[in-house]
Amino acid sequence: MKKTTGTDRSKTAHWRPATRAVRAGTWRSEHGETSEALFLTSGYTYDDAATVAARFAGEAEGMTYSRLQNPTVAMLEERIAMLEGAQACRAQASGMAAMTTALLCQLETGDHVVAARAAFGSCRWLVDNLLPKWGIQTTVIDGRDNAAWEAAIRKNTKVFFFETPANPTLDIVDLEAVCSLAKAHGITTVVDNAFATASLQRPMEFGADVVAYSATKLMDGQGRVLAGAVCGSDEFINEVLLPFQRNTGPSCAPFNAWVVLKGLETLDLRAHRQSANAMEVGRFVEERVPHILHPGLASHPQHDLAARQMDAFGTIFAFTLDGGREQAYRVLDALELIDLSNNIGDAKSLMCHPASTTHASMSAEARAEMGVHEGLLRINIGLEDPADLIEDLDQAFAKAGL
Ligand SMILES: *Cc1c(COP(=O)(O)O)cnc(C)c1O
């Protein structure tokens, strides 16, 4: 294997994001293939026993087992790290493997975590159920409220955990304010950046310590595989996260890493085109529904903040209907082009009812507090022509009495 210029930070630091997305991290075999090779192997062989011993001792470069290292996975890790502006990255089996690993690798019994209440359902489950069960205290706050972050800090607060924009209500957390507050108190910020990706928002530029991903979403972008990633400093990734990951095994499968690696080549194009489509469709929807949550529209209470920290506003927005679940279901059931699906980040436009799907495992009170009302619908805008999406929504809205 030959590492290309893309793996040499001293030669790639000046590369612009679109170049990094296509080139960063590439290795080539002796065949000189243009497309990154898929190393579908769990193990490795060695020329002699001394080499094996040296590799196991960490004294010689080289791989020993795909739970620990794999060339295809390594290419993905370097590419994501370069896109993020991070020193290091470790790929994970899924977004939830990434979130769980990023939290558990650094927390212990007696620690305290402050988390934003608007979050992906399983992220809330970690905060509400898993961490407390293991003696880690958690406080859930309104992530939009900078004073609430400060008020929740205790002597033993170790981590701030949030996503922005948040799923599914598109709450925005002030990255600069919350990350600098955390820094001042020696607290590690863990940001779930799945909705935006580095193409639209780079939390580390605002002081975030750890950025974690579901790569299943916009990074793959075509709804094919589950994968995740955690980015951070060399010290965090290699000394805190890696010992946990190597021994617990949430590693990314080489095939899934390869699919995401190829997805990253078009990430910048897709993220920007889908964001533009989501603006166009959002403007149409705003005229037809009582309440829309779209960070790109002036009607979003945090529009200015979103504009400060995001390059574009993402592929997802939500809206609430006065007719509750019944009217929301009527819209979903009338769709002809847009698919009824709970996935996001896909090139296909997808719509779902969060209260009965992604956020169904939460209590009704927690849902109400988060703003996940019975009439809320979430839409991921894909790469179709927005005029066709608008026509489909137009006929579905009419059938639902809107
Ligand atoms: C989907 C998602 C996750 C979980 O990712 P998986 O790849 O499905 O495990 C976590 N956070 C956010 C914001 C997500 O959208």
Side-chain angles (χ1 to χ4, degrees), residues 4-5 20 42 52 58 79 97 154 163 171 193 229 292 307 358 394:
T4 67
T5 317
R20 295 178 182 194
S42 48
V52 196
R79 192 165 296 175
R154 299 180 192 164
E163 57 190 66
D171 286 7
N193 200 33
I292 187 166
T358 52
D394 186 33

Side-chain angles (χ1 to χ4, degrees), residues 160-349:
F160 278 179
F161 180 42
F162 61 90
E163 57 190 66
T164 180
N167 189 4
T169 50
L170 288 305
D171 286 7
I172 308 291
V173 175
D174 186 334
L175 282 165
E176 192 162 22
V178 173
C179 293
S180 66
L181 175 69
K183 265 211 172 56
H185 289 83
I187 295 164
T188 302
T189 39
V190 177
V191 182
D192 178 344
N193 200 33
F195 264 43
T197 77
S199 282
L200 305 182
Q201 170 178 277
R202 291 158 303 282
M204 284 182 178
E205 290 176 359
F206 299 93
D209 301 302
V210 178
V211 179
Y213 279 106
S214 170
T216 314
K217 312 293 171 54
L218 204 45
M219 285 192 185
D220 171 10
Q222 289 159 80
R224 298 165 296 193
V225 297
L226 286 155
V230 181
C231 301
S233 66
D234 274 329
E235 189 190 351
F236 177 80
I237 295 294
N238 294 317
E239 285 163 37
V240 181
L241 182 129
L242 205 50
F244 181 93
Q245 174 161 2
R246 291 166 77 112
N247 295 299
T248 56
S251 315
C252 187
F255 177 75
N256 293 7
W258 179 79
V259 171
V260 176
L261 192 58
K262 302 308 289 178
L264 289 182
E265 293 184 350
T266 56
L267 173 65
D268 207 61
L269 270 178
R270 287 184 287 101
H272 282 94
R273 171 64 79 91
Q274 288 178 234
S275 292
N277 289 355
M279 285 302 303
E280 200 169 329
V281 177
R283 284 191 199 100
F284 163 80
V285 171
E286 186 169 37
E287 298 299 314
R288 292 287 286 273
V289 302
H291 188 54
I292 187 166
L293 300 159
H294 187 319
L297 296 173
S299 58
H300 190 288
Q302 297 174 290
H303 170 65
D304 293 344
L305 173 61
R308 277 206 301 280
Q309 59 191 35
M310 302 181 78
D311 296 345
F313 299 100
T315 71
I316 298 149
F317 64 91
F319 50 93
T320 309
L321 307 178
D322 289 338
R325 181 180 293 219
E326 192 260 337
Q327 194 177 29
Y329 278 14
R330 276 166 68 197
V331 170
L332 288 175
D333 292 344
L335 293 170
E336 290 173 0
L337 167 63
I338 298 166
D339 289 307
L340 175 47
S341 171
N342 48 286
N343 203 3
I344 53 167
D346 202 290
K348 293 187 170 66
S349 292

